[in-house]
Amino acid sequence: MADTQRAGRLAWLIGTRDRPEYALEQPGFSHQGLEWEPAGAVKMLVVLVVARFMFNLLLKGPTARLAARRGSDAHHRDGRRLLEELWVTAGNLLMLGAALYVMMRKNGGCWFLNTDTCLAGWPNIVAEPEVARYYQLELAWYLHMLLKPVLHYGLPDGRDMLVHHFASLALILVSYGTNLTRIGVVVLGIFAISNPLLHIAKICNQLSLGPLKIGGFMVFALAFFLSRVILVPLAVLKPALLDSRRYIPYAVEDFRFWYYVINVLLVGLYFMQLVWMRSIARVLSSASSHGSVAASDMSAKLDPAQRYATGTAQQAGAAVTANGSSPRQATQRRQAARGQLSQTPSPADPPTLPGTVDVRAEL
């Protein structure tokens, strides 16, 4: 069959193959709405960055005051952490809603509990335009997360989260470029389930919301375990490693390189989930044995995030309360007011030198 009858965006992959399975029967497959448009992802990235700056402008003051009033220590009184968690929570809820909508309404019947249609018939899998827009949104979100230390509109993530972001970006690009979007949507949807719950738990912990400090974390831990530890092998690894050999054996034979690239990425991501699950279990064990304070202290060692230096006394290690004093000075004034300390003023906290970083807890 002539090359003009092959999929436009898969010509780079199957254009030189003569198998009849690669001949397209569905004319809608090459619909322009399915073509990758870099401009669309760039526009979404610009919107996210502008929205983040506006979010910071409107909520920086209120979150700083709230964190200073509710935080139990200098780390939790850092208003920038609360601002970061609120933004990421909102973004993750958006990602989760988009993933569930596309998966349940626009993914050809492929979802968590039914993966039979995820690979069957490749490459003649007709994806709807909403899938391309969802992929662009996911790409823009991860790129905006990676740009935080460059544009200084948020707190950079730790090294393991950076690895996770890059692996996710690779999977997004590879799954779209090879027309494996159905299984790709399932992967993104599964990984989106526990994300907002994690950041809600962080907010509860930072604001010392009583039982929710550990209760929120327990809800997140349960969702993480069910989605990323139990569901990933069944709904992701099994289709990618095993079902692909049954539904598209010709593709596995012809494109072994991509078969191994995709599966190595998926297995690598799953291994990261197991490592994180072990850390989560340690926090829960500490809470059970020693209480929420000990669990919060232990969580500080799990996934430290490097904070960028701003070159001022209010940078990474020197969070400032709403009235302009450092957390240590504010604490000492409150204690002095209760008669616990003398009224002798304490020396100012030394500023953090430019170029240094402060290692803080994720929770």
Side-chain angles (χ1 to χ4, degrees), residues 12-13 44 52 81 90 97 103 133-134 137 157 166 172 209 241 275 279 296 324 349:
W12 67 275
L13 185 64
M44 291 184 184
R52 179 62 196 270
R81 291 189 69 251
M103 181 176 59
R133 287 192 284 271
Y134 169 63
L137 179 62
D157 297 308
F166 279 113
I172 288 171
L209 298 182
L241 287 167
V275 172
S279 299
S296 182
D349 289 332

Side-chain angles (χ1 to χ4, degrees), residues 65-123:
R65 291 189 292 271
L66 180 60
R69 185 172 67 252
R70 297 287 307 180
S72 59
D73 54 34
H75 177 45
H76 288 158
R77 284 191 291 270
D78 187 348
R80 295 170 305 168
R81 291 189 69 251
L82 181 58
L83 189 68
E84 181 78 14
E85 300 304 339
L86 288 171
W87 170 261
V88 177
T89 298
N92 283 331
L93 286 173
L94 172 64
M95 295 296 116
L96 176 59
L100 293 177
Y101 170 77
V102 171
M103 181 176 59
M104 301 305 297
R105 301 288 299 272
K106 305 292 181 178
N107 209 36
C110 172
W111 68 297
F112 302 149
L113 302 182
N114 181 18
T115 58
D116 291 340
T117 63
C118 293
L119 300 174
W122 184 92

